[in-house]
Amino acid sequence: MIDVNYIRQQFPILNRKVNGNPLVYFDNGATTQKPKRVIDSIVNYYSELNSNIHRGVHTLSREMTIEYENARIAVQKFINATYAHEIVFTKGTTDSINLVASSFSRAFLKPGDEIIVSEMEHHSNFLPWQNLRDEKGISMKVIPLTKEGELNMEAYKKLLSPKTKLVAIAHVSNSLGLVNPLEEIISEAKKHGAKVLIDGAQAVPHLRVDVQKLGADFYVFSMHKLYGPTGMGVLFAKEELLEAMPPYQYGGGIIKSVTIEKTEWADLPNKFEAGTPNIEGGPATKAALHFVNEVGMGNIAAYEHELLTYCSDQLGMIEEVEVYGNIKNKAGVISFNIKKTHPFDTGTLLDNMGIAVRTGHHCTQPLMRHLGIPGTVRASFAVYNTKEEIDIFINGVKKAVKMLL
Amino acid sequence: MTIEEIEQEIIDEFAMFDNWEDKYQYVIDMGKDLKPMAEELKTDDRLIKGCQSRVWLHSAVKDGRVIYTADSDAIITKGLVALMIRTLSDHDPEEIINAKVDFIDTIGLKSHLSPTRANGLLSMVKQMKLDAMALKIKLSN
C-alpha cells in the first residue's frame, strides 16, 4: 500500500497550475517529475561538494568521488548486477545503446553477421543498428508484430540462426506499454549463442528488474524516467563483455598509462567513461533510487497497475475512442486516439485543460506505420498520479470528443 | 480589404469569446468549413516540413494575386490554416511579403506560433511568404 498524498507532497512541481488548472502530469514516459530530495541533492552538490572526481587528492574530490561511486553501487543493487563495475554511466538510454553499437561491433561483429531488432523499437534502439547495417555490412532483421502490436514470437524464432550475434529489444514498448516476453526472447537467443540487449527505459520505472535473473547481456535505461536527473544513463553489461569491448570515446580518465606508442586502458568501468561526467547526477541518482526503494518497487508496480486498469476501463467506455495495444500484460502506458481525429488535436485541447500527455509517433515510426496511424495520444503514469487525476483526464477526453467530432 | 483590415476583423471576432473552449471551437469549425484541397495536390513536395500534423500548401497566381489552397490532417491545424488563407490569400505578393501576421498572438493562440509547438503554423507562414516571393519574381520576369 502507498500513501499517495504523502508521495505527492514530495514533488514541488505538482503544485503548479497550467493554463489556470492544477497540473495533471501524464507524460511520465517522456520524463518523470523529481522528488524534493533529488532537487536538494543537486543544490547540495554545488553548495558543499563541487569538485572533479577520480582525480584530486584533496578532500572535496575524495568525498565527491565516494558519493559518485556510491550512486553506482545503488544502481548495481537496484537492478541486482553482480558487480558495481558492470554499471557504466552514460548520458542516457540512447547513449548507452550507441556505446554498445560502437564498442560491441568493433569487438565482435564482421560483415555478414546478423542483428535482430523489432518493429516496435524506439528509434534509439533502431537507428544505431540500421547505421551498423549501412556502414559495416551487418545485416539487420526485424521481428514483425501481430495486429495488436505484440511481437510475433514464431517469426522471431525463425529469424534466429548461428549468424545472429545480437538481439536488441525493448523490455516495455514506449508507445503501447506492452511488456515483452523477455524470458523466452533471451532463452531462444542463447540457444544460438547470440547476445541480448534490453532497452529498459520504459520498464525500470514500472517493474522490478533483476538483470542476473533475466540473464540479459546488456540492460540500458535512463535515470530521468525514474524520478532522477537528466543526463544520467545506465549501461549494465556483463563483465566479460565490457572487458572485451574497446572504449567508446577516448579522453581523460580512461587510462592506466599513455605513451606515444601505446595506451593501457583503465579498469572497468572507467574505460568507458571518458571526460568529466555529469557529476551532480551521481548524488541525484542515489537520491532518486532512495525514493523508489523507500516507496518500494513492488508497491509502485501494483499501484500503477491499478491506475492503468482504471484508466483503460474508463477510456474503453468512450465509444469514440480507440485504444491501441489492448492486451493484459502492460506497464505504465496507455495509447489511444479519438476516432477519425489526429492525436495533435486531442493533445492540444487536453493541454488547455492543464493535462500533459504526449502526442505523435513517439519515435516509433515503423510501429505507427504497422498500425496504419500517424500517431497516438499517450498517457503514461507515475506513482504520484491518482484516480482523481484520471477522472479529470477522462472528462477532458470526453470534452475533446464533443469539440472535435 | 487589406491584410491588415482582415487581421483586425479576425481580432474583433475572437474578442467575443471569453473562454478557450469557444475560441478553439471556432478554430475547429473553421477547419471543418475549409474548402477541401484536391487530392492530387496533396503531394509530398507540397508538405510543410516540421509539423507534427501534416500540412499541404499550394500557391498559384491569378490576376497578379497569390491564391493559396491548403489542408491538414489535424483539425485544429486546419482551422489555423484556414485563418492564414483568409488573411493572406488573394493579395498582391508584395503585400503578403510585408504582412506582419501578428494577430495570432493578439487572439490568444500564441502558443501555436512557438517554434517548439511542432504544429507548423510558423513554418506555414514562412512558406506562404516564400511562395509569394517566388511568384513575385516570376511575375516580374
Side-chain angles (χ1 to χ4, degrees):
Chain A
M1 272 297 286
I2 66 155
D3 179 351
V4 71
N5 285 326
Y6 174 66
I7 288 172
R8 288 181 70 83
Q9 283 164 17
Q10 299 179 50
F11 288 80
I13 205 169
L14 297 179
N15 296 320
R16 246 203 83 160
K17 289 207 163 183
V18 170
N19 295 319
N21 299 290
L23 167 67
V24 174
Y25 188 78
F26 282 176
D27 194 19
N28 296 287
T31 195
T32 56
Q33 301 303 342
K34 319 303 172 199
K36 193 161 178 304
R37 71 187 83 180
V38 168
I39 300 165
D40 289 347
S41 74
I42 294 169
V43 174
N44 181 58
Y45 165 71
Y46 285 112
S47 315
E48 299 283 340
L49 289 160
N50 181 45
S51 55
N52 211 331
I53 55 171
H54 296 144
R55 293 160 172 74
V57 293
H58 61 82
T59 304
L60 283 186
S61 175
R62 241 185 9 248
E63 283 179 6
M64 193 52 216
T65 301
I66 292 167
E67 274 292 299
Y68 194 78
E69 291 307 314
N70 279 342
R72 202 184 304 277
I73 293 165
V75 172
Q76 176 210 347
K77 288 189 178 142
F78 182 68
I79 57 171
N80 193 32
T82 314
Y83 309 109
H85 63 251
E86 290 179 322
I87 307 299
V88 176
F89 284 135
T90 64
K91 285 189 292 183
T93 304
T94 302
D95 195 33
S96 296
I97 297 173
N98 276 278
L99 188 161
V100 176
S102 165
S103 296
F104 179 80
S105 71
R106 282 180 288 141
F108 294 107
L109 300 182
K110 55 183 190 310
D113 285 344
E114 294 179 2
I115 292 174
I116 295 178
V117 299
S118 88
E119 206 178 349
M120 72 166 69
E121 295 314 307
H122 190 283
H123 295 162
S124 292
N125 195 26
F126 195 85
L127 301 180
W129 313 115
Q130 196 179 51
N131 180 58
L132 278 186
R133 179 195 70 190
D134 296 344
E135 284 191 352
K136 304 257 168 89
I138 285 147
S139 145
M140 182 179 83
K141 307 269 176 187
V142 182
I143 309 169
L145 306 179
T146 65
K147 202 166 148 274
E148 271 300 321
E150 290 175 278
L151 290 178
N152 181 335
M153 289 299 286
E154 289 314 305
Y156 166 59
K157 285 174 201 166
K158 284 188 192 133
L159 289 178
L160 283 161
S161 81
K163 282 187 183 170
T164 314
K165 292 295 182 302
L166 184 76
V167 177
I169 205 132
H171 192 163
V172 171
S173 146
N174 72 303
S175 292
L176 302 181
L178 310 183
V179 182
N180 284 325
L182 286 195
E183 222 168 277
E184 196 183 355
I185 290 166
I186 293 171
S187 72
E188 288 297 325
K190 299 277 155 183
K191 285 184 195 164
H192 298 271
K195 305 294 181 212
V196 181
L197 176 143
I198 304 297
D199 170 1
Q202 296 293 336
V204 162
H206 309 298
L207 313 166
R208 195 191 295 279
V209 172
D210 181 330
V211 290
Q212 290 190 64
K213 209 164 133 200
L214 271 179
D217 299 289
F218 301 101
Y219 196 99
V220 300
F221 60 97
S222 300
M223 282 309 300
H224 75 90
K225 294 188 198 290
L226 186 64
Y227 311 101
T230 54
M232 279 302 272
V234 171
L235 162 64
F236 156 81
K238 283 185 180 160
E239 181 187 44
E240 66 264 27
L241 287 167
L242 288 178
E243 290 289 2
M245 284 157 50
Y248 174 41
Q249 292 180 327
Y250 296 84
I254 70 165
I255 55 101
K256 272 187 186 142
S257 71
V258 178
T259 63
I260 291 173
E261 289 73 32
K262 76 183 271 283
T263 292
E264 196 186 342
W265 304 123
D267 290 334
L268 300 176
N270 296 352
K271 181 170 110 181
F272 292 100
E273 295 181 356
T276 294
N278 175 8
I279 303 174
E280 75 268 32
T285 290
K286 210 176 95 186
L289 293 177
H290 188 253
F291 165 77
V292 170
N293 290 332
E294 191 178 276
V295 182
M297 207 58 228
N299 290 331
I300 293 175
Y303 178 68
E304 286 179 351
H305 184 73
E306 217 177 287
L307 291 180
L308 189 60
T309 308
Y310 181 67
C311 190
S312 300
D313 290 348
Q314 297 291 313
L315 264 186
M317 282 194 277
I318 308 174
E319 210 180 299
E320 295 85 354
V321 162
E322 180 167 14
V323 175
Y324 304 101
N326 234 336
I327 64 156
K328 274 227 156 72
N329 203 4
K330 279 169 77 162
V333 167
I334 185 159
S335 231
F336 70 98
N337 274 327
I338 296 176
K339 288 175 191 165
K340 295 185 207 130
T341 71
H342 196 282
F344 171 80
D345 292 323
T346 311
T348 303
L349 297 178
L350 290 175
D351 176 51
N352 275 286
M353 304 176 224
I355 303 165
V357 291
R358 173 89 189 265
T359 64
H361 53 66
H362 316 300
C363 298
T364 54
Q365 289 189 2
L367 171 62
M368 293 302 136
R369 206 158 294 131
H370 173 81
L371 296 171
I373 48 176
T376 71
V377 183
R378 181 186 75 175
S380 49
F381 306 111
V383 69
Y384 43 70
N385 290 132
T386 65
K387 282 191 180 170
E388 289 72 37
E389 288 180 311
I390 291 175
D391 291 338
I392 295 170
F393 164 74
I394 292 293
N395 280 331
V397 174
K398 284 180 183 163
K399 193 169 189 170
V401 167
K402 238 183 243 159
M403 290 180 73
L404 291 171
L405 295 179
Chain B
M1 275 207 285
T2 65
I3 290 177
E4 219 165 296
E5 283 164 355
I6 299 172
E7 288 189 33
Q8 190 53 52
E9 191 180 72
I10 294 170
I11 291 168
D12 293 344
E13 283 170 22
F14 274 83
M16 296 187 302
F17 306 125
D18 49 14
N19 59 50
W20 72 269
E21 286 98 329
D22 292 347
K23 205 179 283 177
Y24 271 87
Q25 195 63 63
Y26 189 56
V27 173
I28 290 166
D29 292 342
M30 275 190 292
K32 287 178 178 166
D33 291 342
L34 181 68
K35 218 173 90 192
M37 189 180 194
E39 282 304 315
E40 63 265 25
L41 286 178
K42 291 188 195 172
T43 51
D44 283 354
D45 60 327
R46 291 192 179 86
L47 268 179
I48 293 174
K49 302 272 185 289
C51 313
Q52 196 178 86
S53 48
R54 291 193 291 174
V55 177
W56 296 268
L57 174 70
H58 175 64
S59 315
V61 183
K62 199 181 161 197
D63 304 329
R65 297 158 85 84
V66 185
I67 309 291
Y68 296 107
T69 35
D71 201 351
S72 171
D73 55 356
I75 196 70
I76 293 174
T77 312
K78 201 168 158 179
L80 296 169
V81 160
L83 264 183
M84 293 322 303
I85 289 181
R86 177 173 155 197
T87 314
L88 296 182
S89 195
D90 202 12
H91 287 277
D92 177 74
E94 189 68 34
E95 195 189 351
I96 296 169
I97 295 163
N98 293 325
K100 283 212 288 286
V101 206
D102 47 10
F103 70 100
I104 294 287
D105 191 350
T106 319
I107 63 178
L109 294 171
K110 189 182 177 184
S111 66
H112 289 280
L113 276 176
S114 111
T116 58
R117 193 66 202 211
N119 76 340
L121 188 61
L122 204 63
S123 320
M124 165 137 186
V125 173
K126 207 187 269 174
Q127 192 60 49
M128 289 172 106
K129 288 193 167 201
L130 279 175
D131 285 6
M133 215 176 282
L135 291 168
K136 185 188 159 196
I137 292 165
K138 215 165 140 192
L139 282 174
S140 62
N141 285 340

